[in-house]
Amino acid sequence: MLKSTEYWLGSKMETRKQSWGYWALLIWGGLLFLPLAVQYWQTTIAVDYYKWLPVAIIAAVLLFFRAMRASQPAVGDCAFWVKVSWFVICMAGLGFAYLYNTPWLGMIVFVPYLGLVFQAFNRDRSIPFLFGIWALFLLLCRLPGQLELRLLRMSSGFSAKIAGPVVDALGIFNVVQGEVMTMGNKELNIELVTDHYFTLYGVAMLAAFLCFFRKRNVWHTVILVASAFVVATVVNTCRLCLVAYLLHEHELRVMESVWQWGVLLVSYGGSLLLLMSVDALLDFMLQPIEEPSGRTGKQVVRFWNGLISFRLGAFLYKISQLGGVERTEKRWVLVCVSVVLISLTSFISTVKVYEYRGVGSAEEQMHKRENLSVIDPNAVEFTRPGWKVLKVEAEERPFDSIWGAFSFVWRLQYHDTIVVMALDYPFDDWHDVKVCYGNLGWTAVGEKVELLESNPRWYFSETDMVLPTGDYGFVMCSLSDHGGRYAEPKPVETGWHLVKYKFGRNKWVAPFGRVANKDEKTLYQNQVMVTTAFPLDEVTKQEIRAMYGEFREQTRALVMESTQVREGGGQ
């Protein structure tokens, strides 16, 4: 009996030691996410429509601690191979995120890693609704930039289209053009109403918490969260009508006064009521069906009942039990994991040291503001027949602006067509202008990379774009560096060429990738933007291409001349 007791106590102490080692490795791995998480959080929280995210995360954390208080003795653990595979995948993703300096990917990997931490809590005490609590942390994962902004623009565009006729019905004549609703001599910024503190992402957060508290299954949750788009569009339409009416009739600018908070509270309250209505409808629709007595339709009914009874958390739990469960971690595995963490820590430390010293960051690789070339915009000539210069402008922005810190803009007229040509700089890589125009509501409908006969070595991208209003856009773009060398364009193809371009070694962070000199990393962009009510004919496009070819050759020559004057022939 004594020997049995001693054996039991020894085994218990050994398990506890290994448990402490397991927790130490988990904490160590979690700390490696910290630098990227801070970068991601700073970028995200700066966006108005994500100001509510801290509230959602704090609520999820409080729900976790509340669930821990109601925990019961554990009934099982995760299979050993699942934990190891899970950990390896997360660490590989983290290394990839650091290699390409992608905080967004770091957060995408962090949330699954958080699930591994939650599982560690659950191994000793069975925590109720743990999968649902973990799923709330998926709110940290933003959609890819273009998709996120496109959904916002779609919702805002639908709201504006519906609100316009409604405001007309109220006796207020209005015109909606882009992001502005004009009512006589008054203008309303639509984006300020629809994309500020109330957006579809705030409504989606409400939908996620509603599904958690009502313990909905995965299909119910996905549909309800997706319905946030419709709910937000409806509520934003009401907000636009209310704000437009008060502005026109009472000259009250709601979105610039304290009343905006009252409108915001009512908006979220109304959204919650609509979500609860949709939730009740889905609860009715997603009910099991009694199997028919005959053969007809029996398989369909069984498929439907199996589909709506599917629980993702229970499914993942069954997978985690495959291969048997061990309550202790093997020492050799803990040693291997330690080696992986030591290697990853060394890699991240090297990246951060180089970043701290300024090597590898885009701003440090580019020439500083005072060393950039400055041209005389009046030296650019447009001598082709039919062209007229209407206006020349110079713009200056913050150094890290997505549009470049400096711009020289030439507003031209070719017969009845207004053409805007611009020199924008600096950029540290090929600047995808269609992304910037996409942020303003444009959608690309065709893109190609071409060469001009006047210079068969300098590629340019050409993109046809449209606005939700039906306006047509024609964009051309090419870049050259501080020394006049031509920049490699981003491939249009979505196959291997694009993968090679995006993930080639020249995209790696220092010191692992190719560290280009300042001249090569300081790019000057020549672009053309034409906005018309109808698509351009091919003859007009060809003339614009020819004028653009002359324009970019002149600006490139002026940049090179300025570089030689300012730097004595370059660095």
Side-chain angles (χ1 to χ4, degrees):
M1 181 67 180
L2 183 59
K3 289 183 179 180
S4 176
T5 304
E6 289 175 349
Y7 176 81
W8 181 85
L9 288 174
S11 176
K12 192 73 174 179
M13 290 178 65
E14 184 69 20
T15 301
R16 185 169 297 177
K17 288 179 182 179
Q18 291 182 341
S19 180
W20 277 108
Y22 181 64
W23 270 108
L25 294 176
L26 280 179
I27 294 172
W28 185 357
L31 290 175
L32 295 180
F33 284 92
L34 193 58
L36 284 180
V38 171
Q39 286 182 255
Y40 178 86
W41 185 260
Q42 289 174 340
T43 304
T44 301
I45 206 65
V47 182
D48 284 341
Y49 50 83
Y50 279 115
K51 297 294 186 186
W52 302 112
L53 188 56
V55 178
I57 299 306
I58 291 172
V61 171
L62 292 176
L63 287 171
F64 172 71
F65 284 114
R66 180 186 174 189
M68 282 190 66
R69 295 181 62 183
S71 63
Q72 300 294 328
V75 295
D77 191 12
C78 184
F80 178 73
W81 70 270
V82 173
K83 291 187 287 188
V84 173
S85 303
W86 198 341
F87 180 86
V88 169
I89 292 172
C90 289
M91 290 300 103
L94 179 61
F96 196 79
Y98 274 106
L99 184 63
Y100 290 95
N101 191 25
T102 312
W104 176 80
L105 178 59
M107 183 55 65
I108 296 296
V109 177
F110 173 73
V111 174
Y113 187 83
L114 190 62
L116 189 61
V117 175
F118 280 10
Q119 184 278 328
F121 278 103
N122 203 51
R123 61 185 298 198
D124 297 321
R125 301 286 296 178
S126 181
I127 303 174
F129 314 121
L130 187 60
F131 178 79
I133 296 172
W134 170 81
L136 291 175
F137 284 90
L138 290 172
L139 295 172
L140 282 168
C141 301
R142 297 175 60 175
L143 295 173
Q146 278 298 290
L147 179 58
E148 178 181 284
L149 291 169
R150 189 164 295 177
L151 287 174
L152 280 176
R153 293 292 175 267
M154 285 177 61
S155 177
S156 178
F158 286 140
S159 296
K161 283 184 178 180
I162 300 171
V166 174
V167 174
D168 272 336
L170 295 175
I172 304 172
F173 177 74
N174 68 93
V175 176
V176 176
Q177 181 68 32
E179 294 295 329
V180 178
M181 176 184 284
T182 305
M183 299 167 289
N185 61 346
K186 300 180 179 67
E187 290 186 349
L188 174 62
N189 186 343
I190 295 173
E191 186 177 7
L192 191 62
V193 180
T194 60
D195 296 349
H196 200 39
Y197 292 118
F198 179 86
T199 63
L200 66 94
Y201 298 113
V203 179
M205 291 180 192
L206 281 180
F209 277 93
L210 182 61
C211 289
F212 172 79
F213 284 114
R214 295 195 170 182
K215 305 298 179 290
R216 302 307 189 191
N217 64 27
V218 61
W219 307 119
H220 192 122
T221 301
V222 169
I223 297 173
L224 188 62
V225 171
S227 72
F229 180 90
V230 178
V231 171
T233 301
V234 171
V235 175
N236 266 330
T237 301
C238 298
R239 284 162 57 87
L240 274 174
C241 294
L242 174 64
V243 173
Y245 177 81
L246 292 176
L247 175 61
H248 186 269
E249 297 297 323
H250 303 284
E251 297 189 357
L252 175 60
R253 295 188 175 275
V254 175
M255 302 310 296
E256 300 173 12
S257 68
V258 70
W259 289 104
Q260 67 170 310
W261 303 110
V263 174
L264 184 67
L265 183 62
V266 172
S267 299
Y268 275 114
S271 299
L272 182 59
L273 291 175
L274 287 175
L275 286 172
M276 292 173 69
S277 300
V278 176
D279 177 70
L281 176 63
L282 290 174
D283 189 43
F284 171 75
M285 297 290 292
L286 301 177
Q287 290 290 328
I289 302 174
E290 184 178 351
E291 287 192 19
S293 56
R295 285 187 172 184
T296 306
K298 183 173 290 188
Q299 296 299 325
V300 176
V301 169
R302 287 179 179 176
F303 173 77
W304 170 259
N305 290 343
L307 187 67
I308 63 172
S309 63
F310 175 75
R311 294 279 177 173
L312 183 58
F315 175 73
L316 294 177
Y317 176 76
K318 289 181 179 179
I319 292 180
S320 70
Q321 303 301 299
L322 295 176
V325 175
E326 297 182 27
R327 296 290 300 169
T328 60
E329 285 75 26
K330 295 180 175 65
R331 283 185 175 180
W332 68 269
V333 175
L334 295 180
V335 171
C336 291
V337 169
S338 300
V339 172
V340 170
L341 287 174
I342 291 172
S343 302
L344 192 57
T345 303
S346 301
F347 167 72
I348 294 171
S349 300
T350 304
V351 170
K352 288 301 173 183
V353 166
Y354 272 77
E355 183 180 310
Y356 177 77
R357 292 168 55 186
V359 180
S361 63
E363 187 170 336
E364 288 297 330
Q365 284 189 5
M366 293 191 294
H367 279 289
K368 295 187 181 299
R369 180 185 292 263
E370 59 270 17
N371 295 327
L372 295 173
S373 297
V374 179
I375 71 169
D376 178 10
N378 295 315
V380 181
E381 299 178 345
F382 302 90
T383 57
R384 293 183 67 85
W387 288 85
K388 181 170 62 174
V389 179
L390 301 178
K391 191 176 183 180
V392 180
E393 298 174 311
E395 300 178 13
E396 186 172 343
R397 312 178 190 88
F399 196 76
D400 59 351
S401 171
I402 62 172
W403 297 94
F406 299 98
S407 289
F408 292 102
V409 181
W410 293 262
R411 301 188 184 279
L412 313 171
Q413 183 175 352
Y414 175 66
H415 297 318
D416 296 329
T417 303
I418 302 299
V419 180
V420 178
M421 296 195 181
L423 173 67
D424 311 305
Y425 62 95
F427 300 101
D428 69 312
D429 201 354
W430 181 273
H431 181 231
D432 197 348
V433 290
K434 73 174 184 295
V435 174
C436 292
Y437 286 116
N439 295 343
L440 300 177
W442 291 90
T443 301
V445 294
E447 182 184 12
K448 58 184 178 180
V449 174
E450 296 286 348
L451 289 167
L452 291 173
E453 292 183 2
S454 58
N455 190 334
R457 294 184 300 146
W458 194 358
Y459 285 94
F460 71 93
S461 68
E462 181 179 300
T463 309
D464 295 313
M465 310 189 83
V466 293
L467 275 175
T469 58
D471 288 347
Y472 172 83
F474 179 68
V475 182
M476 299 173 66
C477 172
S478 57
L479 291 91
S480 59
D481 70 16
H482 196 69
R485 289 174 289 270
Y486 308 132
E488 179 189 2
K490 177 183 177 182
V492 177
E493 300 88 352
T494 57
W496 170 248
H497 292 290
L498 183 60
V499 173
K500 184 179 178 181
Y501 176 85
K502 281 183 170 292
F503 301 107
R505 188 176 178 183
N506 60 327
K507 302 293 183 181
W508 293 2
V509 295
F512 303 98
R514 175 179 174 269
V515 180
N517 61 43
K518 288 182 179 292
D519 281 2
E520 294 175 325
K521 293 299 290 185
T522 306
L523 300 181
Y524 296 76
Q525 171 186 271
N526 299 279
Q527 69 155 313
V528 175
M529 177 60 175
V530 184
T531 304
T532 57
F534 303 98
L536 296 173
D537 58 79
E538 188 57 35
V539 175
T540 303
K541 282 186 177 181
Q542 194 60 37
E543 176 60 29
I544 293 174
R545 292 187 188 106
M547 187 72 260
Y548 173 66
E550 295 184 8
F551 163 74
R552 69 175 185 172
E553 293 292 350
Q554 292 183 72
T555 57
R556 173 173 170 267
L558 290 169
V559 167
M560 293 173 64
E561 179 183 338
S562 175
T563 299
Q564 293 171 0
V565 171
R566 294 171 65 89
E567 303 178 5
Q571 291 186 2

